[in-house]
Amino acid sequence: MEKIRVVKGDITRIEADAIVNAANNPLLGGGGVDGAIHRAAGKELLMECETLGGCPTGEAKITKGYKLPAKYVIHTVGPIWNGGNNNEAALLEKCYFNSLKLAVENNIKTIAFPNISTGVYRFPKDKAARVAINTVKKFLSENSAINTVIFVVFDDENRDIYSGILNC
Ligand code: AR6
């Protein structure tokens, strides 16, 4: 069975061991997918996030999922797009890599990613998809602990980009 899947929809509804949040440095909630995850998980998620001391860009931290179907939330902070010559691609790669590493450390078998940085942070969607897919494929080829990675696409443009690259 394919280890990588593309699903269109709301990541807060996904039944996976972990969903990834495209958060910001303070980890105290925000708009976009971050806001949706906090709303669906309930206020206990914010309370746990308040104990984490924030998160540098490219790093990842884990919490419980509370009212979400997912057992865990992995919070990562994507780069803000600033023209492309400011380490944006390397930082985005770190988001995917560090989220997967944290997943393995927590015995997570299925993990769902949103399209990190492609909303408020304005990372071009096609470039971001290539970074996401290449990083995940490389990780899976070197590490057998993760069974399934789901790319959750929220808009038609990202759905077409991911389906095109992955041929699905
Ligand atoms: N499920 C799946 N994907 C979603 C959902 C959802 N419910 N809602 C939005 N998306 P963004 P960023 C998609 O802006 O660019 C927040 O305020 C959305 O269409 O959520 O990394 C944070 O607090 C887009 O493709 O995250 C930070 O301050 C993708 O998720 C900042 O935005 C990411 O868009 C982070 O910006």
Side-chain angles (χ1 to χ4, degrees):
M1 220 184 83
E2 279 299 326
K3 282 193 159 192
I4 299 178
R5 288 170 50 206
V6 179
V7 172
K8 183 161 186 264
D10 179 353
I11 201 165
T12 66
R13 311 291 287 272
I14 297 284
E15 301 201 5
D17 296 333
I19 62 170
V20 176
N21 183 14
N24 51 30
N25 296 123
L27 293 187
L28 300 177
V33 70
D34 193 8
I37 288 173
H38 275 272
R39 274 193 302 278
K43 64 178 187 311
E44 286 166 296
L45 177 60
L46 181 59
M47 287 166 67
E48 186 175 354
C49 284
E50 283 169 351
T51 69
L52 298 177
C55 182
T57 303
E59 304 293 321
K61 296 207 174 170
I62 192 165
T63 65
K64 287 184 266 189
Y66 299 98
K67 292 183 185 147
L68 291 164
K71 187 170 176 206
Y72 296 104
V73 179
I74 293 176
H75 306 261
T76 189
V77 183
I80 299 172
W81 181 260
N82 187 20
N85 292 321
N86 293 281
N87 218 24
E88 292 97 330
L91 287 167
L92 188 62
E93 183 177 334
K94 280 185 71 185
C95 288
Y96 284 92
F97 177 83
N98 285 321
S99 297
L100 290 164
K101 189 164 161 272
L102 201 49
V104 171
E105 287 163 7
N106 287 275
N107 204 27
I108 285 159
K109 303 288 178 198
T110 60
I111 179 170
F113 283 97
N115 306 137
I116 300 164
S117 284
T118 68
V120 174
Y121 283 178
R122 304 182 319 272
F123 203 116
K125 290 176 182 176
D126 54 341
K127 286 190 171 65
R130 284 181 196 282
V131 170
I133 291 167
N134 288 341
T135 308
V136 165
K137 278 191 170 169
K138 183 163 190 286
F139 193 96
L140 293 178
S141 74
E142 292 167 354
N143 203 307
S144 59
I146 305 266
N147 289 338
T148 309
V149 174
I150 305 167
F151 287 116
V152 182
V153 292
F154 200 58
D155 53 78
D156 288 338
E157 194 184 346
N158 267 319
R159 196 221 21 234
D160 293 347
I161 291 169
Y162 275 79
S163 306
I165 298 173
L166 289 165
N167 228 345
C168 62

